[in-house]
Amino acid sequence: EPNQAGTREGRNNHFRTTKALEDTWVHLIRLDHNFNQNHRAFVRMSTDFWQEDKNRVFTTGANGIILNRQNRGFTLDDVKVFSATFLMNVRYGVTYANFTEKSIAQGFDLSSLGFASRLTGLIDKSIARFPNVVVGSFTQLANWESGDGGNYSTVHSTGVTFTKLSGSHSLRFGADFRVYRENQGRFPLDVAPQLAYSTTYTRGPLNTSAAPALGGELASFLLGVPDGSMTRTARLAEQDKWFGTYLQDDWKVTRKLVVNWGLRYELETPVTERYNRSVAGFAFGQASPLEAAARANYAANAIPELPASQFAVRGGLTYVSPSSRGYWKGERNNFMPRIGIAYQLDPKTVLRTGYGLFFDTLGVNKTDSIATGFSQSTPIQASLDSGITYVATNANPFPNGLIE
C-alpha cells in the first residue's frame, strides 16, 4: 500500500530504504621447506568467500537476491640450484572461482498469483521465482541482475624457467602451459516469465493513435495484456589451451652498455564447448533454407529492377562438430621478438630504448559461445489480429508452450 502522498499522477507514492548485507572472509596458508642449501619449495593454499544480500524492496522478498562469490587456489613452487651458474624454477597453480545468484523467492508458487497450469507446468517448482513484471516507468517487481544460477571457472597453469650464467651473459629460457575452463549456467528467464506491459493495445480511439502520455502501460497491466518472453537457455562448458616458450639473454657488453634480446612464441588453441553447442561461422555462398519460399513470395510482386530469376537468399549459420570443434582457426605464427638497450652516459644519466611485439588472447575469458538454436526465446504474442482478439493473457501468457 502507498506510504506517502506521491505525485498528482499517483507515482512515487511508496518509498522504502533498502540495505545490502555483506559477509566476507579470507583464509591463506603457506608452507616453506628447504631440502638443502640448493633446493627449496613452498606450497600455498587460499580460499575466500563473499556474499551480498540485497534488493529486498518489498517485504514479500520478490525482489531480493543473494549473490555469492568464492575463490580457491593452490600453488606449488620448486627451485633447484644445480650449480653456481645454473638453476631451475618449476611451478604449478590452479584456481577455481564461482559467482552465483539466487532469488530470495526461489521455489515461489506461481499458481498463487493466478497463473494457469499451462504456465506453471513449464517450470520446475523447486527453482521457480517471482516473475519479472515491468509496467512502464513504474518500479519493477523481481528486477533480476544476471539470473539464477552461476558462472564457474577453473584455470590450470604450469611452467618451468631455467637460468644460465656464462661470463657477461645471463641466459633465461622456459615454457608455460595453461588450461582455461568456464561453465556458464545462468537462467534469467527460464525460472519465471518476464511480463512487460506497453501501450500497444491501449491507444485510442484508433490503433494508429499516439500512445497516452501516462498510464497506458498500467492500463495494459490491468487488462491483463502482456508482452515479454521466456527462455530455454543451454548450459555451456568452454575450454581453451595456451602454450608459450621463450629465450632471453641479458648481455653486459661493457661496464656502461647492457643489451637485452630474446624471442617468444605463443600458441593458443581455439575455444571449444564440451557439448559442441556453438555457432562457428556463416556460409555466405550457400542457399538459405528459406530461399525457395522467399523467392516465391518475391515473384508474386517483383520489381523491374530485380527480376525474380535473380532473386537469391544466401547464407546461413554453420556450427561446430565433433570433428571440427573450434570456434575459429588458430594461428601458429605468433613469434614475438624483444630487444632492449641501456647505456650509461654518466653516473647520473642512463638512456634506455626497446622494442617488443605482443599478442593478446581470445580465450574463454573474452569469448562466449553463440548458442543460437540451442538457447531459445519464446515471445509473448498477446494478439494475432492487432487487438481484435487476445490469445495470451496474464494467466496464460504462453498458450502454445515454449520453443524448445
Side-chain angles (χ1 to χ4, degrees):
E1 295 295 329
N3 62 6
Q4 62 183 26
T7 65
R8 59 181 295 181
E9 299 91 358
R11 292 187 292 179
N12 300 328
N13 60 355
H14 184 278
F15 178 78
R16 180 180 178 184
T17 59
T18 63
K19 57 185 177 182
L21 303 177
E22 293 195 31
D23 182 30
T24 184
W25 50 259
V26 178
H27 297 302
L28 174 67
I29 183 172
R30 170 169 165 158
L31 302 175
D32 290 80
H33 183 69
N34 293 339
F35 297 94
N36 52 55
Q37 63 179 3
N38 294 329
H39 188 194
R40 64 178 58 184
F42 75 83
V43 294
R44 182 178 64 236
M45 293 169 285
S46 63
T47 180
D48 64 74
F49 175 82
W50 169 84
Q51 176 174 292
E52 184 178 24
D53 187 333
K54 60 189 294 187
N55 292 356
R56 294 182 184 247
V57 179
F58 305 108
T59 56
T60 60
N63 278 36
I65 60 173
I66 295 178
L67 304 178
N68 290 119
R69 183 181 290 113
Q70 187 166 15
N71 303 292
R72 298 186 181 96
F74 172 81
T75 303
L76 171 64
D77 189 283
D78 193 321
V79 178
K80 175 70 173 180
V81 178
F82 295 99
S83 68
T85 61
F86 186 53
L87 64 88
M88 176 186 69
N89 180 202
V90 178
R91 57 194 180 278
Y92 167 76
V94 58
T95 60
Y96 168 80
N98 68 57
F99 182 33
T100 62
E101 176 178 330
K102 177 184 177 181
S103 169
I104 299 297
Q106 191 175 85
F108 184 82
D109 182 6
L110 288 169
S111 64
S112 67
L113 296 178
F115 287 109
S117 59
R118 293 287 299 274
L119 173 66
T120 59
L122 298 172
I123 304 170
D124 183 344
K125 294 182 180 180
S126 66
I127 59 174
R129 61 181 296 178
F130 199 93
N132 178 219
V133 181
V134 184
V135 186
S137 60
F138 294 86
T139 298
Q140 294 187 46
L141 299 179
N143 183 12
W144 310 328
E145 292 202 357
S146 301
D148 279 17
N151 293 340
Y152 311 86
S153 64
T154 304
V155 179
H156 295 270
S157 176
T158 185
V160 58
T161 299
F162 296 94
T163 301
K164 174 64 177 178
L165 304 178
S166 178
S168 59
H169 295 268
S170 176
L171 190 66
R172 285 180 290 175
F173 55 95
D176 292 279
F177 178 70
R178 305 171 197 167
V179 177
Y180 296 91
R181 292 173 178 165
E182 181 180 35
N183 292 270
Q184 301 180 39
R186 288 188 179 273
F187 310 101
L189 291 178
D190 293 54
V191 295
Q194 181 189 60
L195 304 174
Y197 299 89
S198 66
T199 61
T200 302
Y201 303 112
T202 54
R203 305 183 182 199
L206 303 175
N207 60 4
T208 56
S209 301
L214 183 67
E217 300 92 342
L218 188 58
S220 292
F221 172 71
L222 295 175
L223 290 170
V225 183
D227 291 323
S229 64
M230 274 191 68
T231 60
R232 286 289 188 257
T233 306
R235 291 180 179 270
L236 301 174
E238 297 180 304
Q239 173 180 282
D240 75 296
K241 301 174 183 179
W242 182 95
F243 172 77
T245 184
Y246 71 96
L247 171 67
Q248 177 175 318
D249 181 22
D250 297 332
W251 179 24
K252 190 171 183 179
V253 183
T254 68
R255 186 175 61 85
K256 294 185 176 182
L257 176 64
V258 177
V259 176
N260 316 98
W261 65 272
L263 180 66
R264 184 174 184 86
Y265 173 76
E266 293 180 354
L267 174 66
E268 182 180 33
T269 65
V271 177
T272 59
E273 202 279 322
R274 181 184 302 167
Y275 308 105
N276 298 320
R277 296 172 177 171
S278 180
V279 171
F282 194 84
F284 291 93
Q286 297 183 17
S288 168
L290 303 175
E291 183 175 55
R295 179 177 290 176
N297 289 335
Y298 177 77
N301 192 25
I303 60 176
E305 291 80 4
L306 180 62
S309 60
Q310 298 180 16
F311 184 87
V313 182
R314 292 287 188 263
L317 297 176
T318 62
Y319 292 84
V320 299
S321 67
S323 60
S324 180
R325 304 187 62 222
Y327 295 0
W328 57 77
K329 294 181 179 179
E331 289 191 352
R332 298 179 178 274
N333 59 348
N334 293 337
F335 292 94
M336 294 168 281
R338 314 284 171 82
I339 187 169
I341 300 174
Y343 183 74
Q344 183 180 21
L345 289 178
D346 56 54
K348 296 183 178 181
T349 307
V350 177
L351 297 179
R352 301 179 186 273
T353 187
Y355 168 81
L357 184 64
F358 300 85
F359 290 97
D360 204 350
T361 63
L362 291 172
V364 298
N365 294 326
K366 298 182 179 179
T367 304
D368 288 330
S369 169
I370 302 174
T372 302
F374 299 100
S375 294
Q376 299 282 3
S377 177
T378 304
I380 298 175
Q381 295 178 290
S383 177
L384 303 178
D385 52 17
S386 300
I388 298 175
T389 60
Y390 295 97
V391 296
T393 63
N394 279 351
N396 188 19
F398 303 98
N400 298 318
L402 301 178
I403 301 173
E404 299 291 343

